[in-house]
Amino acid sequence: LGETSLIDDARDKSLKTQKALNSIVELSIADAQVCRQTERILAKLKEFTAKADVIYTDLSMQLKDDNSVEPAKAAGGDINEKVAELAAQTKDIRVEIQILSEVFNNDFQAELSGLATTIRYWHYLNIIIFIIVVIGSLVLVSLIIDRSITRPLRKTVMLADNMAQEIGRASCRERV
């Protein structure tokens, strides 16, 4: 507890968490449940930071003034009691953050489910469009083949039939 870097690190993390939670509150104004939960955590975290600042200040002053082994006493009582209070409050904050995490997880799962349904819908729509395009392409190819190959062949067959009929008529006339 006497190391300044440990105390500063804990305080910095607490302040960073407060900033993050403030950002969540600003982003989640539309979601009342998330907003309420985040505000509760933020209030507890601010209270925790304020208490921790008092204890850290008292503890650091005592460590500077006295290097004795006797139990540390703060202005409001035993530091060990205040540390125990902070530990209990930390547990409460952890529970609140877990609840917030579950709310986010549930919202995220619902959002993913909706997204999966939308993707499935678009997938089926794309399949239907693909089938329509393939059928349209086949009809177009059929029309092109009909115009470029089948019609000239029909004309050739009709011409051949006409010529065969003319030849047959001419040979009948010669016989007569």
Side-chain angles (χ1 to χ4, degrees):
L1 283 175
E3 291 186 27
T4 307
S5 61
L6 179 65
I7 293 170
D8 291 340
D9 187 45
R11 187 172 187 280
D12 289 344
K13 285 182 181 180
S14 177
L15 291 173
K16 285 179 185 178
T17 306
Q18 286 180 35
K19 287 179 183 177
L21 290 171
N22 276 329
S23 298
I24 291 172
V25 168
E26 290 173 12
L27 291 173
S28 65
I29 290 175
D31 190 349
Q33 184 180 7
V34 171
C35 191
R36 283 192 308 271
Q37 189 68 29
T38 305
E39 286 172 348
R40 279 197 304 260
I41 293 171
L42 190 57
K44 286 185 177 193
L45 208 52
K46 285 179 181 177
E47 181 183 337
F48 172 83
T49 305
K51 284 182 182 178
D53 274 342
V54 168
I55 290 174
Y56 295 152
T57 303
D58 290 346
L59 186 60
S60 62
M61 288 177 69
Q62 264 191 340
L63 289 173
K64 286 180 185 175
D65 293 343
D66 183 31
N67 287 333
S68 66
V69 184
E70 36 180 283
K73 296 279 186 192
D78 188 25
I79 287 185
N80 291 332
E81 290 174 11
K82 288 192 174 191
V83 169
E85 285 178 30
L86 286 178
Q89 193 170 13
T90 302
K91 195 180 286 186
D92 290 345
I93 291 171
R94 182 179 292 136
V95 168
E96 295 288 335
I97 289 175
Q98 284 175 343
I99 292 170
L100 181 64
S101 172
E102 289 172 8
V103 168
F104 272 127
N105 189 30
N106 292 341
D107 287 349
F108 184 67
Q109 291 297 332
E111 191 70 29
L112 282 180
S113 175
L115 185 61
T117 302
T118 304
I119 288 172
R120 224 176 289 119
Y121 167 78
W122 284 106
H123 179 71
Y124 292 140
L125 188 62
N126 284 337
I127 289 173
I128 290 170
I129 290 172
F130 176 75
I131 290 171
I132 290 171
V133 167
V134 167
I135 290 173
S137 298
L138 290 174
V139 167
L140 185 63
V141 167
S142 169
L143 289 173
I144 290 172
I145 288 174
D146 184 49
R147 287 186 179 184
S148 65
I149 296 174
T150 310
R151 283 187 183 171
L153 283 176
R154 282 188 202 147
K155 288 181 181 177
T156 306
V157 168
M158 287 172 56
L159 184 61
D161 285 342
N162 288 340
M163 288 175 68
Q165 287 176 0
E166 288 296 322
I167 291 175
R169 285 185 201 152
S171 65
C172 283
R173 283 186 209 155
E174 286 179 9
R175 286 188 213 164
V176 183

